[in-house]
Amino acid sequence: MPHRDAQHSFLKAMSDKFVEKPESTKTKFYVYGSKDPRYAVGGLAQKGAFRKREFIDDAAKIVAERVQGTPAYNPDVGMPQGQRFLMPYILNHTDIMCYHDDLHVVNNAAMQQAWDDMRRTIVLGLDDAHGILETRLGKEVTPDTINHYLEVCNHCLPGAAVIQEHMVETKPALVADSYVKVFTGDDDLADALDRRMLLDINKEFPAGWEKPGEQADQLKGAIGKKLWQALYMPTIVGRMTDGGTMFRWVGMQVGMTMINAYKVCAGESATGEFAFMAKHASVVMMANYMPVRRARAQNEPGGLPLGICCDCTRSPALFPMDPVRAELEAIAIGALVYDQLWFGIYMSGGVGFTQYASATYTDNILEDFCYKGDEIAIDMFGERGKAEPTMENIEKLTRAGSDYCLTQYEAYPTVAESHFGGSVRAACQSAGAATCVASATADAQAALNSWALAQLLHYASVGRLGFYGYDLQDQCTSSTSFAYRSDEGLPFEMRGVNYPNFAMNVGHQSAYAGLNAGAHLSRKDAWVLSPLIKVAFSDRDLPFDWGYTTREYGRGALREFKPAGERDLIIP
């Protein structure tokens, strides 16, 4: 959306979703037998019940195939349908409209692949291994030997044998998404490497703000002359195991590759150091090991820092002058990983909290709030990133943004109906208000404090926030937003979902991710937390297109997305 666009971006979505006009205060409920399928009447006769009827047909086939005819899906045993309009959803900054069931992570192949791509990614340094080869074993390391190593690794990493012939191997077509590429901040070294196995930072990050190439220059400056590998394990392996397996898989396959590529004796003591290097010394994982009381390994969503959600999106490289778009893309990633997967399934054991999470990346409502927040920041301070992060500025910006967001819920009842939970409104209103501060100050920590103030303003205006813990945790955030003590907080970019005195509710973490992205992009940073992760996810060979997150979710909803790791090739 261009700056100062006077048209609310959600109005078209509201007009397409509801028969009522967006500003209408009158509607019809419980009018069974109506001729108009757009009203919330008639249960499964609703237009939006297409998927529900498909599910009923599926269940009939399932029951017929069960030996004892054990019952399956049957909406008649639940609460009567038709008491709420089965709303369709428009994916933010797309024209894709889909049924709400198709945004459930179990029903959406693109969402599954997005998390698969995150869980199966490991970044590994090569410099330590090269040091071992040169100092311990007297081997010469050159661009040619590096290219040979990479070719061997691309054979070995998906699960093929390199030490002995005719060992058991994986079917290549099942693990086609598994490969390795390298990247470096040294242009001379990059030029000497095989382009087929190189993530070229200059090519993937050509954009700038004042002049072309600024993003590439920032990333190369941070990475320096070191050589890193981006390794992607097979999706099918991640489906069968967990994130902790990914760096063990790397340790095994990279160790075998080193032995083969550099003709090292398999019993050589240095091989143990290759394993230590790959599993501990030089490895960068997506997510931290979880506390024992929650018992999750590395590369699982509970240990994923907020800044990593920001660094997975390619939006800044594609749309450098639109930081809010990148903010919204990061929010969409966080909504999937934290809200739908972590809280909705891992922690609750439930069905995904889909409609709470999808509110942040559908119908252009939060999109409108965030763009307005960015506009407010520019109106007040002339340009992004120029405001001091003082309490006076935080309060002034937050009040302006919060007033705007709350006004939209009052002025357009269909917006409130689309966000039909108080917790959803509290999250989106706070995200929109905190965007003002993220854009104006370019300070993520100040944006977190703004979030907390916006929650209090919402509480004062409406009389409540969301259900249960909202009243506690969102009021605690004011006091812990500037705390770095281990029992209260970390720098916002490094926070995740696992420490006390912090809002750990559905709809929160996704928006938190966006605020980090908005703050850093407002000061023209090429990455938020890790330049290594930013480069690794710039790879356009990944099955999920990380430059167009919400579009990919929409393709999954329309059943147009083909994921990796499927088993059709081995199923009769």
Side-chain angles (χ1 to χ4, degrees), residues 416-439:
E417 173 65 12
S418 187
H419 288 179
F420 58 80
S423 52
V424 172
R425 295 175 205 154
C428 291
Q429 169 257 349
S430 293
T435 295
C436 299
V437 174
S439 293

Side-chain angles (χ1 to χ4, degrees), residues 324-346:
V324 178
R325 185 187 186 279
E327 179 177 334
L328 291 161
E329 292 279 278
I331 286 172
I333 295 169
L336 167 64
V337 175
Y338 296 130
D339 295 334
Q340 293 180 254
L341 281 171
W342 178 245
F343 290 121
I345 296 178
Y346 278 76

Side-chain angles (χ1 to χ4, degrees), residues 263-344:
K263 304 298 185 286
V264 178
C265 176
E268 174 73 50
S269 64
T271 58
E273 296 195 25
F274 289 141
F276 178 78
M277 173 273 302
K279 290 185 177 181
H280 304 287
S282 303
V283 65
V284 176
M285 290 174 275
M286 297 290 292
N288 300 319
Y289 180 80
M290 290 287 296
V292 174
R293 62 193 171 92
R294 291 182 176 166
R296 299 293 177 212
Q298 298 88 341
N299 276 31
E300 290 293 327
L304 187 80
L306 294 164
I308 297 299
C309 290
C310 309
D311 288 329
C312 287
T313 174
R314 289 198 302 123
S315 187
L318 300 173
F319 306 95
M321 306 310 292
D322 192 350
V324 178
R325 185 187 186 279
E327 179 177 334
L328 291 161
E329 292 279 278
I331 286 172
I333 295 169
L336 167 64
V337 175
Y338 296 130
D339 295 334
Q340 293 180 254
L341 281 171
W342 178 245
F343 290 121

Side-chain angles (χ1 to χ4, degrees), residues 407-420:
T407 297
Q408 307 319 306
Y409 286 124
E410 294 180 3
Y412 302 103
T414 52
V415 174
E417 173 65 12
S418 187
H419 288 179
F420 58 80

Side-chain angles (χ1 to χ4, degrees), residues 15 18 41 44 48 58 88 180 208 223 230 238-239 244 304 347 363 389 405 432 437 545 559 567-568:
S15 297
F18 299 101
V41 297
L44 295 173
D58 288 346
V180 57
I223 293 168
R239 292 280 179 89
L304 187 80
M347 289 295 286
D363 294 335
C405 297
V437 174
D545 189 338
R559 301 181 180 177
R567 296 172 293 167
D568 289 351

Side-chain angles (χ1 to χ4, degrees), residues 66-83:
R66 287 176 173 169
V67 174
Q68 293 178 259
T70 304
Y73 175 83
N74 177 12
D76 289 338
V77 303
M79 297 295 288
Q81 292 192 17
Q83 295 182 13

Side-chain angles (χ1 to χ4, degrees), residues 68-100:
Q68 293 178 259
T70 304
Y73 175 83
N74 177 12
D76 289 338
V77 303
M79 297 295 288
Q81 292 192 17
Q83 295 182 13
R84 180 176 294 283
F85 174 46
L86 295 175
M87 297 181 292
Y89 289 81
I90 293 178
L91 278 297
N92 280 1
H93 45 265
T94 76
D95 59 358
I96 298 173
M97 178 174 276
C98 63
Y99 296 108
H100 63 304

